[in-house]
Amino acid sequence: MFATVSSAVVEGVTGRPVAVEVHVSQGLPGYTLVGLPDVSCRESRDRVRAAILSCGLTWPSRRVTINLAPSGVRKQGSALDLAIALGILAASGQLPEGSLRELGAVGELGLDGSVRSVAGLVCLAGAVCAPTVVVPAAGAVDATVVRPDAIRGAASLLDVVLAIRGDGPALAAPEPPAVDDESHSAGDLADVRGQALARWALEVSAAGGHHLLLIGPPGAGKTMLAERLVGVLPTLDAEQALVTTQVHSAAGIALPPGGVVRRPPLRAPHHGASLVSLIGGGTAAMRPGEISCAN
């Protein structure tokens, strides 16, 4: 039997849609994963198998072939685990035929069947080509930034299976957080005593959108002043907030309780930070650096 599940992977700070195609056929038991997967993707076999068995479901004792389309794009990370598991269950007849046609899935599976959050969830949720997207419950609020009406949170693989079969409660949309991220404001410039020239420079820089260079010995108050510069800057507009949130999500930086970065970001890398950590990249998995996270 054959099944297809919509999912996505992160490339830089952009989500790329991926179709997880699963074929279960007669033959010697085996598992083949094709479509340019990296090591973490290939290791999904053991995670998915243990998760399926831990949920009391059956691992098919047949030949399982999985293709990650498009095959010309390298797939990185563990975000495809949940989609692979659902595809295997559907192709082996454990889920109703056609039940995954309008359902996408993103998330890493634990050996106990739990669905764990992954870096870049905001980018992934926006790239999945499906009307409804199942994401880890721990990051469901973050994913609503890009698709507020399509996101459904799940704590485990079994919850998703029971909801699809109709044997359990339907997956609910995440509730908005009780605490808004605006309550976590930056430091107040009124807390600074002295530093009259530096305070004036901060105010001029914030008012005119000018660059600012702080020079002085350790302990002079440069970082303290920089932290309070964020407090006098206006909040980001909708487009800036969305782009900044996507960059932070792709970098694995924890998002504020509301899921959206509305304050201008402040990054304080160590003076010995490497070139790769500042600029980003450095490996086959392109990740944003400190400069991108501060943009």
Side-chain angles (χ1 to χ4, degrees):
M1 296 181 65
F2 177 79
T4 302
V5 187
S6 298
S7 190
V9 293
V10 176
E11 187 177 51
V13 295
T14 306
R16 277 188 172 269
V18 173
V20 179
E21 302 173 342
V22 182
H23 185 262
V24 177
S25 61
Q26 299 295 333
L28 293 175
Y31 181 96
T32 303
L33 181 63
V34 297
L36 286 183
D38 70 347
V39 175
S40 57
C41 279
R42 289 195 294 268
E43 289 176 346
S44 64
R45 170 186 176 178
D46 298 320
R47 292 193 299 269
V48 171
R49 185 178 186 276
I52 289 177
L53 296 177
S54 296
C55 293
L57 304 168
T58 303
W59 178 263
S61 297
R62 289 181 286 175
R63 183 170 184 82
V64 179
T65 304
I66 301 174
N67 178 45
L68 308 177
S71 300
V73 177
R74 181 166 294 279
K75 319 305 185 302
Q76 302 162 344
S78 56
L80 301 175
D81 286 3
L82 181 57
I84 291 174
L86 293 176
I88 291 175
L89 294 173
S92 59
Q94 300 181 64
L95 290 178
E97 184 177 357
S99 58
L100 303 179
R101 190 168 301 152
E102 297 185 350
L103 189 69
V106 171
E108 177 183 332
L109 288 178
L111 301 184
D112 58 350
S114 60
V115 183
R116 298 172 178 171
S117 188
V118 293
L121 193 55
V122 174
C123 310
L124 294 169
V128 176
C129 299
T132 304
V133 185
V134 179
V135 301
V141 173
D142 297 344
T144 57
V145 171
V146 288
R147 302 183 66 178
D149 300 326
I151 301 301
R152 300 293 183 270
S156 69
L157 174 62
L158 185 59
D159 292 343
V160 182
V161 172
L162 294 178
I164 294 175
R165 289 176 174 175
D167 298 333
L171 298 177
E175 297 182 359
V179 180
D180 188 67
D181 56 350
E182 292 299 330
S183 62
H184 297 263
S185 59
D188 193 341
L189 192 60
D191 297 336
V192 180
R193 298 292 182 265
Q195 300 280 15
L197 182 60
R199 287 165 52 91
W200 175 78
L202 253 68
E203 294 166 358
V204 171
S205 175
H210 306 295
H211 296 291
L212 179 66
L213 177 63
L214 299 172
I215 301 176
K222 302 183 296 299
T223 302
M224 176 190 66
L225 290 166
E227 290 173 347
R228 280 148 181 80
L229 174 61
V230 176
V232 295
L233 289 173
T235 57
L236 304 176
D237 60 34
E239 182 179 356
Q240 292 173 334
L242 178 58
V243 172
T244 305
T245 301
Q246 289 176 327
V247 172
H248 283 216
S249 178
I253 300 173
L255 298 178
V260 182
V261 180
R262 302 189 187 278
R263 289 279 184 182
L266 171 70
R267 305 297 298 171
H270 190 265
H271 62 80
S274 66
L275 188 63
V276 170
S277 67
L278 290 175
I279 298 178
T283 64
M286 297 294 293
R287 296 191 62 180
E290 291 291 338
I291 294 176
S292 297
C293 295
N295 190 358

